[in-house]
Amino acid sequence: MAGPRYIADPANALTSVALDGLTVLFHAPSGMTHIVASPAPEILDALRAGPADAAELLRRLRARFEFDGDEAIHARLGELEAAGLVRRA
Amino acid sequence: MRHSLALQIGPVAFRIGSAWRSPLDALARLYAGYPAPADGLCDFTVRLEPERPWRRFVRPSVAIRGDYVLPDAAPLALAHGLLAAEMGMNLQMALGQRRWLLLHAATVERDGRAIVMTGESGAGKSTLAALLGERGWRLMGDEFALLDMDAGTLLPFPRAISLKNGAIGVLEAEAGPGRFGPRLAGTPKGDIRHLRPNREAIARMGEGAKPALILFPRFGEAAAVRGVGQAEVFMRLTQASTNYVALGCRGFDALTGLVRSVPALAIDYPDTETAVGLIADFRRELAA
Amino acid sequence: MTGARLLVRALRDPGSIGDCDWMGLVSAARAEQLIGSLAFRMEGRKAPPRVAAIFEAARRDAAHARTQALWEAEMCRRALAPLGVPVILMKGTAFHAAGLDASVGRSVGDLDILVPRASLPAVEAALLGAGWERLKQEGGYDDVYYRRWMHELPPLIHKDRDRMIDVHHTILPLTARPTPDAAALIADSVALDNGLRVLAPADMIVHAAAHLFADGDLAGGLRNLWDIDRLLREFDSADFRRTLEERARLHRLAGPVARALRLSHRLYGTPVENRDSPSFSLADRLFEARLLARNGWGQERRKPLRLAFYLRGHWLRMPPLMLARHLWIKATR
């Protein structure tokens, strides 16, 4: 049973700066700044290819990065959704 | 308003209006030697007003108002009118400043390099900055650091330094008596005495400086120095800024630029002299 | 000339103020929440360098305020979309979302939305589930007053973004004398591309007029009238005037709307429909004096006038006995 599908904003909506292991993001549509850790930047990147549910997202992450954790994907998506960085399709 | 005074402090000009003369007389004495705004115009307005009309005379109570206000701010007694004026100026900067990124920090400069000291209230930044100002450093400010978001430089904002309780005696031993405001006892923060920056600081209030070091000082611990990761520095600086959120993309670019180009250290110190010594060491390393 | 009078003149005809009391102008504008609007009106006009820098900073600030306001609306949309109820943006956020002239330089405080009354519990639940929190103590006196009598839920604040949302089900409290037609407001609302809605333009003006007179103590009145001036000029036509009159009558706010237009004409030169200027009554003069009661230091003058208007505002919201009880409880807190 597929869960909800998520969408991220296009790449030009975000300015991303890496600072010793963490990523600082400026999200233009909200004017807000977020400090995030992996796998948040990778999730946002993987969603740029198009909307995806959690299962599809995991597939994309494994294909592009060395990604092993999967239980936490729902929690990470929830956090990104609360922050406004992803939304439901 | 019955009485008024205009002050230029660094790039910012204030006009302060008051229902009573005494706070402005005290302010004028404290800021002796400061220029009046060149064009007669000001960036912000502060008003010292009676909380209620009859409180102008009966148990006079000074409400701090102006262009930007804190709705629940408690009024002060007229005896603390000078403090009310200072708080009023702080409020305009904290709530209304948009031209420069503000950091709640003390800044000193030497050899064209600026050191920014930021951290929680009570960490001793003001006292440290004041002391450094008497030991050959130029005091650029003790309350707010102004970051030019385009150039990446820091601009001076040399307000009178607010010294509390024990720190008052420390500076009374070093700075000339003519530079102090009255001792204000029984304020919400204890005893306060203001110290005017020295002549050099005033004369050079139009001169910016490149940031060379960010310090997070912590008073009351055994001397120690540690590096601070850039992500942590970024986060702590956003917390120390009253206007970061309002500045959007420009603020983000300026702050990430600052964090990536300027080293940061956390220092613990048991007493101010130790801190002064540590900073002298940093100066030598920066010059090397 | 300085203070509110200078501000009104500058908004109305920016080219006419020449070398004026700039600080009086800026302080009055800041006090009236009109510094953004003024800064855009003054764009390209001659001003001393320091003042030009103040205006430039104010324009930038207004752009950021717009971004934040539209973002609040978007996050509200995401939270309420599953409910399928009409969500109508109001006031400043609506102007920005619809790209109206009234949005230029307009600051926005809280997000105000209008929803059908029957959907209130579901709306509140959805917002609470999406990170908003209640402000006042549940079940306390203010909460009871709000839920039974006011035209909105008690305000909610978002726990991460620290911004407030006010959910209305009509545009005036249930206890007030004029009773607007909430169903008509919703039925005639206009859809935006993203599914959110705004009031029909005529209803926007009716709402602004209601807000100006019946829903408060005239605080922020100069900004309210500026909104009305900008809205009217954008949509003005013979047809629109007729529609505006009809809607004002429908919502039983014909009096306030007519007065708002007289005041707007008087202060901002908003075009009038009839050949002759509508006559300016004694009551109108009192309102005008109240609106202009700010000096060049940003202080409100003529205090007795101000207190009288505050009482009037509350009186219109509540029957006299309730008002007495409300003020008694507030005073003894």
Side-chain angles (χ1 to χ4, degrees):
Chain A
M1 187 188 71
R5 288 164 78 227
Y6 293 90
I7 301 175
D9 291 310
N12 61 11
L14 275 184
T15 310
S16 176
V17 172
L19 295 177
D20 63 15
L22 293 173
T23 304
V24 182
L25 297 171
F26 181 78
H27 183 232
S30 65
M32 289 173 70
T33 299
H34 302 275
I35 304 181
V36 299
S38 282
E42 290 83 353
I43 292 174
L44 291 171
D45 210 57
L47 282 174
R48 298 242 168 73
D53 62 15
E56 166 66 20
L57 183 57
L58 277 170
R59 270 195 293 280
R60 290 184 197 172
L61 288 168
R62 291 206 185 95
R64 304 213 0 231
F65 309 99
E66 276 173 32
F67 193 77
D68 42 3
D70 51 352
E71 324 80 42
I73 198 82
H74 294 280
R76 298 290 85 78
L77 282 167
E79 286 158 7
L80 288 171
E81 188 181 11
L85 293 171
V86 305
R87 64 186 182 280
R88 304 214 176 181
Chain B
M1 297 221 66
R2 208 161 279 253
H3 312 279
S4 72
L5 178 66
L7 277 180
Q8 179 85 35
I9 299 172
V12 186
F14 298 91
R15 65 169 178 167
I16 303 116
S18 174
W20 308 266
R21 225 186 118 155
S22 59
L24 296 189
D25 281 348
L27 200 61
R29 277 192 297 272
L30 181 60
Y31 284 91
Y34 277 66
D39 45 5
L41 295 170
C42 298
D43 298 287
F44 298 108
T45 297
V46 175
R47 300 195 314 260
L48 306 178
E49 297 177 335
E51 184 75 2
R52 296 263 179 276
W54 55 90
R55 295 301 290 275
R56 199 167 138 239
F57 306 105
V58 176
R59 276 187 304 122
S61 165
V62 183
I64 302 167
R65 304 215 176 103
D67 286 342
Y68 299 94
V69 296
L70 266 185
D72 318 318
L76 300 183
L78 183 56
H80 296 154
L82 175 61
L83 185 59
E86 286 286 309
M87 285 169 68
M89 287 191 276
N90 281 351
L91 208 55
Q92 304 316 303
M93 289 293 277
L95 298 179
Q97 183 53 257
R98 295 285 182 269
R99 279 183 76 183
W100 299 284
L101 181 74
L102 287 190
L103 295 171
H104 185 60
T107 317
V108 293
E109 174 265 321
R110 202 158 187 179
D111 318 317
R113 300 186 191 90
I115 300 183
V116 182
M117 298 178 285
T118 183
E120 289 141 29
S121 290
K125 309 183 294 296
S126 286
T127 315
L128 195 45
L131 211 47
L132 289 166
E134 302 306 307
R135 304 284 181 85
W137 292 77
R138 172 168 69 114
L139 178 76
M140 291 177 71
D142 81 305
E143 184 79 41
F144 291 110
L146 276 53
L147 180 67
D148 182 319
M149 289 180 278
D150 301 318
T153 48
L154 293 163
L155 297 178
F157 188 64
R159 290 262 304 288
I161 307 157
S162 172
L163 299 166
K164 299 180 188 67
N165 303 313
I168 301 173
V170 172
L171 270 303
E172 276 171 346
E174 306 242 351
R179 285 173 51 202
F180 284 86
R183 190 181 191 105
L184 305 172
T187 79
K189 297 231 175 96
D191 283 15
I192 291 182
R193 202 161 185 207
H194 294 95
L195 170 65
R196 180 171 63 243
N198 65 18
R199 236 171 274 223
E200 190 201 1
I202 300 171
R204 295 173 68 189
M205 71 159 72
E207 227 181 278
K210 264 189 75 143
L213 182 61
I214 300 168
L215 284 185
F216 297 96
R218 200 165 59 156
F219 176 69
E221 311 276 338
V225 180
R226 326 174 269 293
V228 186
Q230 287 184 339
E232 186 184 344
V233 177
F234 183 86
M235 198 182 69
R236 292 176 77 167
L237 290 181
T238 59
Q239 288 168 343
S241 175
T242 58
N243 65 0
Y244 173 79
V245 174
L247 293 173
C249 194
R250 277 177 95 214
F252 177 84
D253 289 341
L255 206 59
T256 48
L258 179 72
V259 167
R260 289 202 286 183
S261 60
V262 179
L265 295 170
I267 61 171
D268 296 341
Y269 60 105
D271 54 70
T272 335
E273 285 302 334
T274 307
V276 172
L278 283 171
I279 289 171
D281 293 339
F282 299 147
R283 179 187 171 215
R284 275 190 288 278
E285 285 173 37
L286 286 171
Chain C
M1 183 192 290
T2 188
R5 282 186 191 276
L6 177 58
L7 173 61
V8 164
R9 169 83 96 83
L11 287 169
R12 175 179 182 156
D13 187 0
S16 74
I17 55 169
D19 199 28
C20 60
D21 175 9
W22 293 106
M23 291 197 287
L25 177 60
V26 167
S27 284
R30 282 172 171 161
E32 297 288 340
Q33 305 295 312
L34 279 167
I35 186 68
S37 308
L38 176 68
F40 277 101
R41 291 293 278 168
M42 292 297 297
E43 191 167 15
R45 303 260 176 204
K46 211 159 167 291
R50 195 189 290 277
V51 178
I54 289 174
F55 289 152
E56 154 108 38
R59 287 191 291 270
R60 282 207 163 116
D61 209 27
H64 189 72
R66 176 191 172 89
T67 299
Q68 291 182 309
L70 291 177
W71 184 250
E72 278 309 298
E74 169 59 18
M75 290 304 272
C76 172
R77 187 196 68 75
R78 293 181 189 182
L80 299 182
L83 300 181
V85 301
V87 177
I88 297 148
L89 303 174
M90 301 188 354
K91 300 188 196 164
T93 305
F95 305 156
H96 284 295
L100 303 181
D101 291 345
S103 75
V104 175
R106 180 62 152 80
S107 65
V108 179
D110 307 340
L111 169 62
D112 289 271
I113 62 171
L114 176 72
V115 298
R117 192 166 182 204
S119 69
L120 278 180
V123 165
E124 192 181 24
L127 292 172
L128 290 173
W132 277 273
E133 293 174 339
R134 293 193 175 110
L135 261 185
K136 293 192 186 292
Q137 272 287 356
E138 178 91 51
Y141 172 73
D142 274 324
D143 194 75
V144 166
Y145 166 63
Y146 254 101
R147 286 180 194 277
R148 277 181 71 196
W149 301 113
M150 289 300 284
H151 52 307
E152 53 195 30
L153 290 176
L156 299 174
I157 188 163
H158 194 272
K159 66 181 187 334
D160 300 325
R161 295 190 305 274
D162 216 32
R163 303 272 301 208
M164 298 232 287
I165 183 169
D166 293 322
V167 183
H168 306 250
H169 59 85
T170 180
I171 57 178
L172 279 176
L174 291 173
T175 51
R177 255 74 137 326
T179 42
D181 187 338
L185 289 173
I186 295 172
D188 293 313
S189 62
V190 175
L192 302 172
D193 288 341
N194 60 7
L196 290 169
R197 310 180 73 87
V198 296
L199 294 173
D203 284 340
M204 282 184 181
I205 293 179
V206 174
H207 180 211
H211 196 247
L212 172 61
F213 295 113
D215 190 27
D217 61 348
L218 274 198
L222 286 183
R223 187 172 82 160
N224 246 320
L225 283 172
W226 183 248
D227 288 344
I228 290 172
D229 174 86
R230 296 290 97 184
L231 287 168
L232 198 57
R233 288 177 194 264
E234 181 158 13
F235 293 102
D236 208 5
S237 71
D239 269 350
F240 185 72
R241 295 278 176 161
R242 265 194 296 279
T243 306
L244 180 57
E245 229 182 296
E246 280 162 22
R247 297 303 279 190
R249 270 200 302 273
L250 171 68
H251 297 303
R252 308 189 203 218
L253 286 161
V257 171
R259 171 162 283 140
L261 293 180
R262 288 196 300 276
L263 285 166
S264 181
H265 169 72
R266 173 91 158 180
L267 293 174
Y268 295 125
T270 318
V272 289
E273 200 187 11
N274 306 315
R275 275 158 283 121
D276 313 317
S277 270
S279 56
F280 210 60
S281 69
L282 176 62
D284 289 340
R285 280 178 209 286
L286 285 176
F287 278 106
E288 184 194 24
R290 167 73 188 93
L291 290 164
L292 293 176
R294 200 175 289 281
N295 66 16
W297 278 87
Q299 296 167 305
E300 280 182 294
R301 276 359 215 153
R302 290 175 237 159
K303 284 189 190 357
L305 198 62
R306 195 151 50 95
L307 195 57
F309 273 100
Y310 182 75
L311 285 174
R312 181 183 182 276
H314 259 287
W315 178 62
L316 277 170
R317 288 197 225 189
M318 281 191 269
L321 203 57
M322 258 194 88
L323 173 64
R325 179 167 174 262
H326 182 76
L327 288 174
W328 171 251
I329 289 178
K330 275 220 181 284
T332 54
R333 272 239 188 96

